[in-house]
Amino acid sequence: MKILSMFVYYILVLAIFCNCKTAHRIATTGEAVEHVTTFWKSASNIDTPYLSITQKAWYQDSIGITQICGINFVTIDNVQSVNIATIGYRFINLKKKWAYEYRSLSDTALIERKYKYADTTHFTGGWNFVNRISHPVDSFRLLPDTTIGAITYKQANASLLLNKTRYKGIFLFRCDIKKTDFHINTVVSNQMGCPLVFLRIYPEQNPHARSDEEIKLISNYFPDSIVKVFAAWKKNQIRFPVE
């Protein structure tokens, strides 16, 4: 009888351990990225980045959270400076098409605004989980692979027309990652079978006026602070549904 009791106890402990382990894995896995946009200008015949905006984003089970940055141009004594600051965070339920905005990335943050959105909505600031625009590429030529920071990228030259202006550029693809919600151009990524994670384009008539867009895939695991935010903001949408 004692042996049977010990066996039952062992099975119970094992079941509890497995359930805790499974729950922990589900709660902490997801995608964490940084979306970086950089604009360049020519100064003294040298191409120099003059504005760079980095915004973080997280994705898990049809729920997206993105950092939103604001840009302020300040001119003092004819000298212009740029101030980039975080102005909030957006929580998006992609299944229900609900959006919530918060002032800070905290599990105790209060809802600043909530609303429904349509499939055609284009959110200002942050990673646009909804209706990401895929500009048509009309010329595409593969180049030899390149290695940056121990990561091998497929690369290509491309040409596209934006607002009646002809742009040229270079694309970089991460083919070591097959499935991700983060890619710059959906159509091109699907055609390559790899996410487009870096894009540099410039007007054909003005190569110095170039811009970069990059997705830095940071991690597939969330720290405890982000896990708490996801848990709290998911509860908030249940307590305060969008009407």
CSV table of all heavy atoms in Angstrom, one decimal, residues 56-96:
chain,number,residue,atom,x,y,z
A,56,LYS,N,10.2,49.2,-30.9
A,56,LYS,CA,10.1,47.8,-30.5
A,56,LYS,C,8.7,47.3,-30.7
A,56,LYS,O,7.7,48.0,-30.7
A,56,LYS,CB,10.5,47.6,-29.1
A,56,LYS,CG,12.0,47.9,-28.8
A,56,LYS,CD,12.3,47.7,-27.3
A,56,LYS,CE,13.8,48.0,-27.1
A,56,LYS,NZ,14.2,47.8,-25.7
A,57,ALA,N,8.6,46.0,-31.0
A,57,ALA,CA,7.3,45.4,-31.2
A,57,ALA,C,7.4,43.9,-30.7
A,57,ALA,O,8.4,43.3,-30.7
A,57,ALA,CB,6.9,45.4,-32.6
A,58,TRP,N,6.2,43.4,-30.2
A,58,TRP,CA,6.1,42.1,-29.7
A,58,TRP,C,4.9,41.4,-30.3
A,58,TRP,O,3.8,42.1,-30.5
A,58,TRP,CB,6.0,42.1,-28.2
A,58,TRP,CG,7.2,42.7,-27.5
A,58,TRP,CD1,8.3,42.1,-27.0
A,58,TRP,CD2,7.4,44.1,-27.2
A,58,TRP,NE1,9.1,43.0,-26.4
A,58,TRP,CE2,8.6,44.2,-26.5
A,58,TRP,CE3,6.6,45.2,-27.5
A,58,TRP,CZ2,9.1,45.5,-26.1
A,58,TRP,CZ3,7.1,46.5,-27.0
A,58,TRP,CH2,8.3,46.6,-26.4
A,59,TYR,N,4.9,40.1,-30.5
A,59,TYR,CA,3.8,39.4,-31.1
A,59,TYR,C,3.7,38.0,-30.5
A,59,TYR,O,4.6,37.3,-30.3
A,59,TYR,CB,4.0,39.3,-32.6
A,59,TYR,CG,2.9,38.5,-33.3
A,59,TYR,CD1,1.7,39.2,-33.7
A,59,TYR,CD2,3.0,37.2,-33.6
A,59,TYR,CE1,0.6,38.5,-34.3
A,59,TYR,CE2,1.9,36.5,-34.2
A,59,TYR,CZ,0.8,37.2,-34.5
A,59,TYR,OH,-0.3,36.5,-35.2
A,60,GLN,N,2.4,37.7,-30.2
A,60,GLN,CA,2.1,36.4,-29.6
A,60,GLN,C,0.6,36.0,-29.8
A,60,GLN,O,-0.2,36.8,-29.3
A,60,GLN,CB,2.4,36.4,-28.0
A,60,GLN,CG,2.2,35.1,-27.3
A,60,GLN,CD,2.3,35.3,-25.8
A,60,GLN,OE1,1.4,35.9,-25.2
A,60,GLN,NE2,3.3,34.8,-25.2
A,61,ASP,N,0.4,34.9,-30.4
A,61,ASP,CA,-1.0,34.4,-30.6
A,61,ASP,C,-2.0,35.4,-31.0
A,61,ASP,O,-3.0,35.7,-30.3
A,61,ASP,CB,-1.4,33.8,-29.2
A,61,ASP,CG,-0.5,32.6,-28.8
A,61,ASP,OD1,0.1,32.0,-29.7
A,61,ASP,OD2,-0.4,32.4,-27.6
A,62,SER,N,-1.8,36.1,-32.1
A,62,SER,CA,-2.7,37.1,-32.7
A,62,SER,C,-2.8,38.3,-31.9
A,62,SER,O,-3.7,39.1,-32.1
A,62,SER,CB,-4.1,36.4,-33.0
A,62,SER,OG,-4.0,35.4,-33.9
A,63,ILE,N,-1.9,38.5,-31.0
A,63,ILE,CA,-1.9,39.8,-30.2
A,63,ILE,C,-0.5,40.5,-30.5
A,63,ILE,O,0.5,39.9,-30.4
A,63,ILE,CB,-2.0,39.5,-28.7
A,63,ILE,CG1,-3.3,38.8,-28.3
A,63,ILE,CG2,-1.8,40.8,-27.9
A,63,ILE,CD1,-4.5,39.7,-28.6
A,64,GLY,N,-0.6,41.8,-30.8
A,64,GLY,CA,0.6,42.5,-31.1
A,64,GLY,C,0.7,43.7,-30.2
A,64,GLY,O,-0.4,44.4,-29.8
A,65,ILE,N,1.9,44.1,-29.7
A,65,ILE,CA,2.1,45.3,-29.0
A,65,ILE,C,3.3,46.0,-29.6
A,65,ILE,O,4.3,45.4,-30.0
A,65,ILE,CB,2.5,45.0,-27.5
A,65,ILE,CG1,1.3,44.3,-26.8
A,65,ILE,CG2,2.9,46.2,-26.8
A,65,ILE,CD1,1.6,43.9,-25.4
A,66,THR,N,3.1,47.3,-29.9
A,66,THR,CA,4.2,48.1,-30.5
A,66,THR,C,4.4,49.4,-29.8
A,66,THR,O,3.5,50.0,-29.3
A,66,THR,CB,3.8,48.3,-32.0
A,66,THR,OG1,4.9,49.1,-32.6
A,66,THR,CG2,2.6,49.2,-32.1
A,67,GLN,N,5.7,49.7,-29.7
A,67,GLN,CA,6.1,51.0,-29.2
A,67,GLN,C,5.8,52.1,-30.2
A,67,GLN,O,6.0,51.9,-31.4
A,67,GLN,CB,7.6,51.0,-28.9
A,67,GLN,CG,8.2,52.3,-28.4
A,67,GLN,CD,9.7,52.2,-28.3
A,67,GLN,OE1,10.3,51.2,-28.8
A,67,GLN,NE2,10.3,53.1,-27.6
A,68,ILE,N,5.3,53.3,-29.8
A,68,ILE,CA,5.0,54.4,-30.7
A,68,ILE,C,5.9,55.6,-30.4
A,68,ILE,O,5.9,56.0,-29.2
A,68,ILE,CB,3.6,54.8,-30.6
A,68,ILE,CG1,2.6,53.6,-30.8
A,68,ILE,CG2,3.3,55.9,-31.6
A,68,ILE,CD1,1.2,53.9,-30.5
A,69,CYS,N,6.7,56.0,-31.3
A,69,CYS,CA,7.6,57.2,-31.1
A,69,CYS,C,7.1,58.4,-31.8
A,69,CYS,O,6.5,58.3,-32.9
A,69,CYS,CB,9.0,56.8,-31.6
A,69,CYS,SG,9.9,55.6,-30.6
A,70,GLY,N,7.3,59.5,-31.2
A,70,GLY,CA,6.9,60.8,-31.8
A,70,GLY,C,8.2,61.6,-32.2
A,70,GLY,O,9.2,61.4,-31.5
A,71,ILE,N,8.1,62.4,-33.2
A,71,ILE,CA,9.3,63.1,-33.7
A,71,ILE,C,9.0,64.6,-33.6
A,71,ILE,O,7.9,65.1,-34.1
A,71,ILE,CB,9.6,62.8,-35.2
A,71,ILE,CG1,9.8,61.3,-35.3
A,71,ILE,CG2,10.8,63.5,-35.7
A,71,ILE,CD1,9.9,60.9,-36.8
A,72,ASN,N,9.8,65.4,-32.9
A,72,ASN,CA,9.7,66.8,-32.8
A,72,ASN,C,10.9,67.5,-33.3
A,72,ASN,O,12.0,67.2,-33.0
A,72,ASN,CB,9.5,67.2,-31.3
A,72,ASN,CG,8.2,66.7,-30.7
A,72,ASN,OD1,7.2,66.8,-31.3
A,72,ASN,ND2,8.3,66.2,-29.5
A,73,PHE,N,10.7,68.4,-34.3
A,73,PHE,CA,11.7,69.2,-34.8
A,73,PHE,C,11.8,70.6,-34.1
A,73,PHE,O,10.8,71.3,-34.0
A,73,PHE,CB,11.5,69.5,-36.3
A,73,PHE,CG,11.6,68.2,-37.1
A,73,PHE,CD1,10.5,67.4,-37.4
A,73,PHE,CD2,12.9,67.8,-37.7
A,73,PHE,CE1,10.6,66.2,-38.1
A,73,PHE,CE2,13.0,66.6,-38.4
A,73,PHE,CZ,11.9,65.8,-38.7
A,74,VAL,N,12.9,70.9,-33.5
A,74,VAL,CA,13.1,72.1,-32.7
A,74,VAL,C,14.2,73.0,-33.4
A,74,VAL,O,15.3,72.5,-33.7
A,74,VAL,CB,13.5,71.8,-31.3
A,74,VAL,CG1,13.6,73.1,-30.5
A,74,VAL,CG2,12.5,70.9,-30.6
A,75,THR,N,13.8,74.3,-33.6
A,75,THR,CA,14.8,75.2,-34.2
A,75,THR,C,15.1,76.3,-33.2
A,75,THR,O,14.2,77.0,-32.7
A,75,THR,CB,14.3,75.8,-35.5
A,75,THR,OG1,13.9,74.8,-36.4
A,75,THR,CG2,15.3,76.8,-36.1
A,76,ILE,N,16.4,76.4,-32.8
A,76,ILE,CA,16.9,77.5,-31.9
A,76,ILE,C,18.1,78.2,-32.6
A,76,ILE,O,19.1,77.5,-32.9
A,76,ILE,CB,17.3,76.9,-30.6
A,76,ILE,CG1,16.1,76.1,-29.9
A,76,ILE,CG2,17.8,78.0,-29.6
A,76,ILE,CD1,16.4,75.5,-28.6
A,77,ASP,N,17.9,79.5,-32.8
A,77,ASP,CA,19.0,80.3,-33.4
A,77,ASP,C,19.4,79.7,-34.8
A,77,ASP,O,20.5,79.5,-35.1
A,77,ASP,CB,20.2,80.4,-32.5
A,77,ASP,CG,19.9,81.1,-31.2
A,77,ASP,OD1,19.1,82.0,-31.2
A,77,ASP,OD2,20.6,80.8,-30.2
A,78,ASN,N,18.3,79.4,-35.5
A,78,ASN,CA,18.5,78.8,-36.9
A,78,ASN,C,19.2,77.5,-36.9
A,78,ASN,O,19.6,77.0,-38.0
A,78,ASN,CB,19.3,79.8,-37.8
A,78,ASN,CG,18.5,81.1,-38.0
A,78,ASN,OD1,17.3,81.0,-38.2
A,78,ASN,ND2,19.2,82.2,-38.1
A,79,VAL,N,19.3,76.8,-35.8
A,79,VAL,CA,19.8,75.5,-35.7
A,79,VAL,C,18.7,74.5,-35.4
A,79,VAL,O,18.1,74.6,-34.3
A,79,VAL,CB,21.0,75.4,-34.7
A,79,VAL,CG1,21.5,73.9,-34.6
A,79,VAL,CG2,22.1,76.3,-35.0
A,80,GLN,N,18.5,73.5,-36.3
A,80,GLN,CA,17.4,72.6,-36.1
A,80,GLN,C,17.9,71.3,-35.5
A,80,GLN,O,19.0,70.8,-35.8
A,80,GLN,CB,16.8,72.3,-37.4
A,80,GLN,CG,15.5,71.4,-37.3
A,80,GLN,CD,14.8,71.1,-38.6
A,80,GLN,OE1,15.3,70.4,-39.4
A,80,GLN,NE2,13.7,71.8,-38.9
A,81,SER,N,17.2,70.8,-34.5
A,81,SER,CA,17.5,69.5,-33.9
A,81,SER,C,16.3,68.7,-33.9
A,81,SER,O,15.1,69.2,-34.0
A,81,SER,CB,18.0,69.7,-32.4
A,81,SER,OG,17.0,70.4,-31.6
A,82,VAL,N,16.5,67.4,-33.7
A,82,VAL,CA,15.4,66.4,-33.7
A,82,VAL,C,15.3,65.7,-32.4
A,82,VAL,O,16.3,65.2,-31.9
A,82,VAL,CB,15.5,65.4,-34.9
A,82,VAL,CG1,14.3,64.5,-34.9
A,82,VAL,CG2,15.7,66.1,-36.2
A,83,ASN,N,14.1,65.7,-31.8
A,83,ASN,CA,13.9,64.9,-30.6
A,83,ASN,C,12.9,63.8,-30.9
A,83,ASN,O,11.8,64.0,-31.4
A,83,ASN,CB,13.3,65.8,-29.5
A,83,ASN,CG,13.0,65.1,-28.2
A,83,ASN,OD1,13.8,64.3,-27.8
A,83,ASN,ND2,11.9,65.3,-27.6
A,84,ILE,N,13.4,62.6,-30.6
A,84,ILE,CA,12.5,61.4,-30.8
A,84,ILE,C,12.2,60.8,-29.4
A,84,ILE,O,13.2,60.5,-28.6
A,84,ILE,CB,13.2,60.3,-31.6
A,84,ILE,CG1,13.6,60.9,-33.0
A,84,ILE,CG2,12.4,59.1,-31.8
A,84,ILE,CD1,14.4,60.0,-33.9
A,85,ALA,N,11.0,60.6,-29.1
A,85,ALA,CA,10.6,60.1,-27.8
A,85,ALA,C,9.4,59.2,-27.9
A,85,ALA,O,8.6,59.3,-28.8
A,85,ALA,CB,10.2,61.3,-26.8
A,86,THR,N,9.4,58.2,-26.9
A,86,THR,CA,8.2,57.3,-26.9
A,86,THR,C,7.0,58.0,-26.4
A,86,THR,O,7.0,58.7,-25.3
A,86,THR,CB,8.5,56.1,-25.9
A,86,THR,OG1,9.7,55.4,-26.4
A,86,THR,CG2,7.4,55.2,-25.9
A,87,ILE,N,5.9,58.0,-27.1
A,87,ILE,CA,4.7,58.6,-26.7
A,87,ILE,C,3.6,57.7,-26.3
A,87,ILE,O,2.5,58.1,-25.9
A,87,ILE,CB,4.2,59.5,-27.9
A,87,ILE,CG1,3.9,58.7,-29.1
A,87,ILE,CG2,5.2,60.7,-28.2
A,87,ILE,CD1,3.3,59.6,-30.3
A,88,GLY,N,3.8,56.3,-26.5
A,88,GLY,CA,2.9,55.4,-26.0
A,88,GLY,C,3.1,54.0,-26.6
A,88,GLY,O,4.1,53.7,-27.3
A,89,TYR,N,2.1,53.1,-26.3
A,89,TYR,CA,2.2,51.7,-26.8
A,89,TYR,C,0.8,51.3,-27.3
A,89,TYR,O,-0.2,51.7,-26.7
A,89,TYR,CB,2.7,50.8,-25.7
A,89,TYR,CG,4.1,51.0,-25.3
A,89,TYR,CD1,4.5,52.0,-24.4
A,89,TYR,CD2,5.1,50.3,-25.9
A,89,TYR,CE1,5.8,52.2,-24.0
A,89,TYR,CE2,6.5,50.5,-25.6
A,89,TYR,CZ,6.8,51.5,-24.6
A,89,TYR,OH,8.1,51.7,-24.3
A,90,ARG,N,0.8,50.5,-28.3
A,90,ARG,CA,-0.5,50.1,-28.9
A,90,ARG,C,-0.6,48.6,-28.8
A,90,ARG,O,0.2,47.8,-29.2
A,90,ARG,CB,-0.6,50.5,-30.4
A,90,ARG,CG,-2.0,50.2,-31.0
A,90,ARG,CD,-2.0,50.6,-32.5
A,90,ARG,NE,-1.9,52.0,-32.6
A,90,ARG,CZ,-0.8,52.6,-33.2
A,90,ARG,NH1,0.2,51.8,-33.7
A,90,ARG,NH2,-0.7,53.9,-33.4
A,91,PHE,N,-1.8,48.2,-28.2
A,91,PHE,CA,-2.1,46.7,-28.1
A,91,PHE,C,-3.2,46.4,-29.1
A,91,PHE,O,-4.2,47.1,-29.2
A,91,PHE,CB,-2.7,46.5,-26.7
A,91,PHE,CG,-3.2,45.1,-26.4
A,91,PHE,CD1,-2.5,44.1,-25.8
A,91,PHE,CD2,-4.6,44.8,-26.7
A,91,PHE,CE1,-3.0,42.9,-25.6
A,91,PHE,CE2,-5.1,43.6,-26.5
A,91,PHE,CZ,-4.3,42.6,-25.9
A,92,ILE,N,-2.9,45.4,-29.9
A,92,ILE,CA,-3.8,45.1,-31.0
A,92,ILE,C,-4.3,43.6,-31.0
A,92,ILE,O,-3.4,42.7,-30.9
A,92,ILE,CB,-3.2,45.4,-32.4
A,92,ILE,CG1,-2.9,46.9,-32.6
A,92,ILE,CG2,-4.1,44.9,-33.5
A,92,ILE,CD1,-2.3,47.2,-33.9
A,93,ASN,N,-5.6,43.4,-30.9
A,93,ASN,CA,-6.1,42.0,-31.1
A,93,ASN,C,-6.5,41.8,-32.5
A,93,ASN,O,-7.5,42.4,-33.0
A,93,ASN,CB,-7.3,41.9,-30.2
A,93,ASN,CG,-7.8,40.4,-30.1
A,93,ASN,OD1,-7.9,39.7,-31.2
A,93,ASN,ND2,-8.2,40.0,-29.0
A,94,LEU,N,-5.7,41.0,-33.2
A,94,LEU,CA,-5.9,40.9,-34.7
A,94,LEU,C,-7.1,40.1,-35.0
A,94,LEU,O,-7.6,40.2,-36.1
A,94,LEU,CB,-4.6,40.2,-35.3
A,94,LEU,CG,-3.3,41.1,-35.2
A,94,LEU,CD1,-2.1,40.2,-35.6
A,94,LEU,CD2,-3.4,42.3,-36.0
A,95,LYS,N,-7.6,39.3,-34.1
A,95,LYS,CA,-8.8,38.5,-34.4
A,95,LYS,C,-10.0,39.3,-34.2
A,95,LYS,O,-10.9,39.3,-35.0
A,95,LYS,CB,-8.8,37.2,-33.5
A,95,LYS,CG,-7.8,36.2,-33.9
A,95,LYS,CD,-7.9,34.9,-33.0
A,95,LYS,CE,-6.9,33.9,-33.4
A,95,LYS,NZ,-7.0,32.7,-32.5
A,96,LYS,N,-10.1,40.0,-33.1
A,96,LYS,CA,-11.3,40.8,-32.8
A,96,LYS,C,-11.3,42.2,-33.5
A,96,LYS,O,-12.3,42.9,-33.5
A,96,LYS,CB,-11.4,41.0,-31.3
A,96,LYS,CG,-11.7,39.7,-30.6
A,96,LYS,CD,-11.9,40.0,-29.1
A,96,LYS,CE,-12.3,38.7,-28.3
A,96,LYS,NZ,-12.5,38.9,-26.9
